[in-house]
Amino acid sequence: EAGVTQSPTHLIKTRGQQATLRCSPISGHTSVYWYQQALGLGLQFLLWYDEGEERNRGNFPPRFSGRQFPNYSSELNVNALELEDSALYLCASSPAAGYSNQPQHFGDGTRLSIL
Amino acid sequence: AQKITQTQPGMFVQEKEAVTLDCTYDTSDQSYGLFWYKQPSSGEMIFLIYQGSYDEQNATEGRYSLNFQKARKSANLVISASQLGDSAMYFCAMREQGYGGSQGNLIFGKGTKLSVKP
């Protein structure tokens, strides 16, 4: 069974540009979560999608947005990039809502560097 | 608001010895889930063990066990017989309640860096 896959592995952008990160969940998983791991700040929850809908949002500005496609894959968009957006962005997936004891399985992440 | 606290930024343990990584949590929910993840230097997050708030027995998974003390709101991870490959960051996390009582996103502690000495 393929795990959560994220692309690209690394992404280098400059201030003000836009970045798009992609995530494919484990087959059969309908929930996708995005987390930001900036240096020294631990993992911060960004966005949660389930069945194509945004279910919850962390304390991030609106320039962080995303969507979930009919095949449950997801995209995270970051507009007007700032230096502090440099971080490892981790995507996780889990089965459909209701399986509360199921862990979230993570991808290997996209390392976004802002120059 | 829910909160996870890991008070040990770094820990050292001798190979083959046991080590306990501390985690305390704060929540007003009656139903919640607690998770431990391992993050090696390569960056991937590896699920280790889960404890549900209504589970009466402490969870165990191989060399990992969870010392769950609900009244004290603590969920400490115990790694027995440490191996060099256990050197990594370890994160304690709690699942927030989502819509309609479903599972929600995870809230993470700041992590503990474990170093295993040969």
Side-chain angles (χ1 to χ4, degrees):
Chain A
E1 177 185 85
V4 176
T5 57
Q6 291 187 244
S7 63
T9 304
H10 293 93
L11 191 57
I12 299 174
K13 294 284 186 178
T14 58
R15 289 177 60 190
Q17 285 188 316
Q18 186 239 7
T20 298
L21 288 63
R22 295 180 176 83
C23 172
S24 292
I26 291 172
S27 177
H29 287 189
T30 64
S31 276
V32 171
Y33 308 80
W34 288 95
Y35 296 88
Q36 182 197 66
Q37 188 176 25
L39 196 62
L41 292 181
L43 283 93
Q44 306 290 322
F45 165 68
L46 263 167
L47 290 159
W48 169 28
Y49 292 96
D50 184 64
E51 297 286 356
E53 300 285 332
E54 182 180 303
R55 298 301 184 185
N56 198 11
R57 181 182 184 86
N59 188 25
F60 281 85
R63 57 191 186 82
F64 287 84
S65 65
R67 53 180 171 166
Q68 186 178 33
F69 300 99
N71 66 354
Y72 304 114
S73 67
S74 178
E75 197 173 85
L76 173 68
N77 294 294
V78 189
N79 294 320
L81 287 165
E82 300 179 2
L83 293 176
E84 57 262 32
D85 296 335
S86 293
L88 180 67
Y89 289 82
L90 290 162
C91 172
S93 74
S94 65
Y99 294 89
S100 60
N101 63 339
Q102 291 292 322
Q104 294 179 13
H105 295 274
F106 285 79
D108 290 342
T110 292
R111 190 163 296 280
L112 176 62
S113 299
I114 311 303
L115 304 179
Chain B
Q2 295 180 318
K3 187 178 177 181
I4 295 287
T5 302
Q6 294 180 254
T7 58
Q8 306 153 313
M11 289 277 288
F12 287 91
V13 64
Q14 203 69 37
E15 193 179 7
K16 300 181 184 177
E17 291 185 349
V19 63
T20 298
L21 306 183
D22 295 341
C23 172
T24 58
Y25 60 92
D26 186 21
T27 181
S28 56
D29 291 335
Q30 296 301 308
S31 176
Y32 50 89
L34 296 159
F35 300 81
W36 277 91
Y37 284 85
K38 172 185 178 181
Q39 187 179 40
S41 57
S42 51
E44 74 271 28
M45 293 287 286
I46 302 167
F47 165 70
L48 296 177
I49 197 166
Y50 163 84
Q51 180 82 44
S53 57
Y54 293 119
D55 294 340
E56 294 185 353
Q57 291 191 328
N58 288 337
T60 61
E61 288 287 348
R63 293 189 298 112
Y64 304 108
S65 60
L66 204 152
N67 184 1
F68 181 48
Q69 298 186 47
K70 193 171 180 177
R72 297 181 59 185
K73 293 189 174 179
S74 74
N76 299 337
L77 176 70
V78 181
I79 305 174
S80 63
S82 296
Q83 302 172 356
L84 295 178
D86 293 335
S87 294
M89 283 292 290
Y90 288 81
F91 291 95
C92 179
M94 173 185 293
R95 167 168 283 146
E96 284 196 306
Q97 287 293 314
Y99 65 101
S102 66
Q103 60 182 342
N105 51 277
L106 294 173
I107 303 297
F108 285 87
K110 292 192 178 299
T112 296
K113 184 174 182 178
L114 178 65
S115 300
V116 180
K117 299 185 290 185

